[in-house]
Amino acid sequence: GQQLNQSPQSMFIQEGEDVSMNCTSSSIFNTWLWYKQDPGEGPVLLIALYKAGELTSNGRLTAQFGITRKDSFLNISASIPSDVGIYFCAGRGNNAGNMLTFGGGTRLMVKP
Amino acid sequence: KAGVTQTPRYLIKTRGQQVTLSCSPISGHRSVSWYQQTPGQGLQFLFEYFSETQRNKGNFPGRFSGRQFSNSRSEMNVSTLELGDSALYLCASSLAALSTDTQYFGPGTRLTVL
């Protein structure tokens, strides 16, 4: 089946640093989504991207839908301790309804 | 507006038993999807229901089944439980089934199979 390769798997950074993570796919997606999951909770949507080349921001978060439709990245600027968690990319293909394919996740740890 | 609720939150079963998990979507949402999350396989799509009809199904054995009721509430059932079925089962709801609809996840049901 489709696979999303998400990297890095984990990051341990200093508070205030910028963070970058990305996802690549062997298949084309029509929608790219970025979620954050805290312990004991379900994933929460951070940013949704619907068009190739689209660049979207949500506060300190910026994500882009790759021009080939096979990749996406998420940047977090000036990280703070509450950014700690697991970040997932997810893609939705054509005619896939609401079926999402998820990346393996990036575990972010922030040192105050 | 209340979010997606899942019951129970935690469940312990033994091999060979069956289990039923419940999901109540956000009021007005008609699409419900189910995902399995494990440390080894990550988040994997199980199935999606819209207006009481299964719209998509992931690559899981027939032991995994689900249904949706007229009030959009959904249940999933796993029969003949195996140790590998231990996982966090997540439910997500959305308004309809359009590609631009946002999916909202519930907190999940953590199933442990002994």
Side-chain angles (χ1 to χ4, degrees):
Chain A
Q2 292 179 333
Q3 295 288 331
L4 288 186
N5 297 309
Q6 185 171 350
S7 63
Q9 286 187 324
S10 63
M11 302 180 73
F12 189 32
I13 63 169
Q14 193 79 30
E15 182 178 359
E17 289 183 350
D18 296 344
V19 172
S20 184
M21 59 192 79
N22 69 84
C23 272
T24 59
S25 169
S26 58
S27 303
I28 289 173
F29 287 110
N30 290 335
T31 304
W32 280 95
L33 306 164
W34 285 92
Y35 286 87
K36 178 177 183 255
Q37 186 175 26
D38 293 325
E41 302 292 332
V44 174
L45 183 66
L46 299 173
I47 292 181
L49 303 158
Y50 301 108
K51 290 173 59 175
E54 180 181 355
L55 183 71
T56 298
S57 293
N58 178 8
R60 294 178 296 105
L61 278 61
T62 301
Q64 184 158 29
F65 191 143
I67 198 72
T68 65
R69 294 165 65 191
K70 292 184 178 181
D71 63 304
S72 176
F73 72 76
L74 173 72
N75 286 341
I76 305 173
S77 63
S79 58
I80 59 178
S82 63
D83 290 334
V84 165
I86 303 178
Y87 292 79
F88 291 97
C89 63
R92 181 161 49 202
N94 197 27
N95 299 322
N98 274 325
M99 183 178 77
L100 299 179
T101 301
F102 280 85
T106 295
R107 181 181 295 274
L108 178 63
M109 294 160 280
V110 180
K111 183 178 180 182
Chain B
K1 189 185 253 190
V4 178
T5 57
Q6 293 187 243
T7 55
R9 290 292 310 273
Y10 302 91
L11 206 50
I12 299 175
K13 292 285 188 179
T14 56
R15 278 182 299 174
Q17 288 186 309
Q18 75 162 12
V19 66
T20 299
L21 312 181
S22 180
C23 172
S24 293
I26 293 171
S27 177
H29 284 195
R30 295 168 61 195
S31 172
V32 173
S33 300
W34 288 89
Y35 293 82
Q36 182 197 64
Q37 185 174 27
T38 60
Q41 299 299 318
L43 277 150
Q44 292 187 293
F45 173 79
L46 279 158
F47 25 65
E48 175 199 357
Y49 287 88
F50 177 72
S51 293
E52 302 177 66
T53 301
Q54 188 178 86
R55 181 181 157 102
N56 276 304
K57 190 177 193 305
N59 189 25
F60 279 82
R63 300 185 297 107
F64 291 81
S65 63
R67 58 178 176 169
Q68 186 180 33
F69 302 95
S70 58
N71 62 358
S72 294
R73 190 178 69 86
S74 177
E75 289 181 346
M76 66 162 283
N77 184 77
V78 188
S79 62
T80 319
L81 284 166
E82 300 177 0
L83 295 178
D85 297 334
S86 294
L88 181 67
Y89 290 88
L90 291 160
C91 165
S93 79
S94 63
L95 197 60
L98 302 176
S99 61
T100 53
D101 283 339
T102 299
Q103 289 190 58
Y104 297 88
F105 281 84
T109 293
R110 184 162 296 280
L111 172 65
T112 302
V113 182
L114 303 176

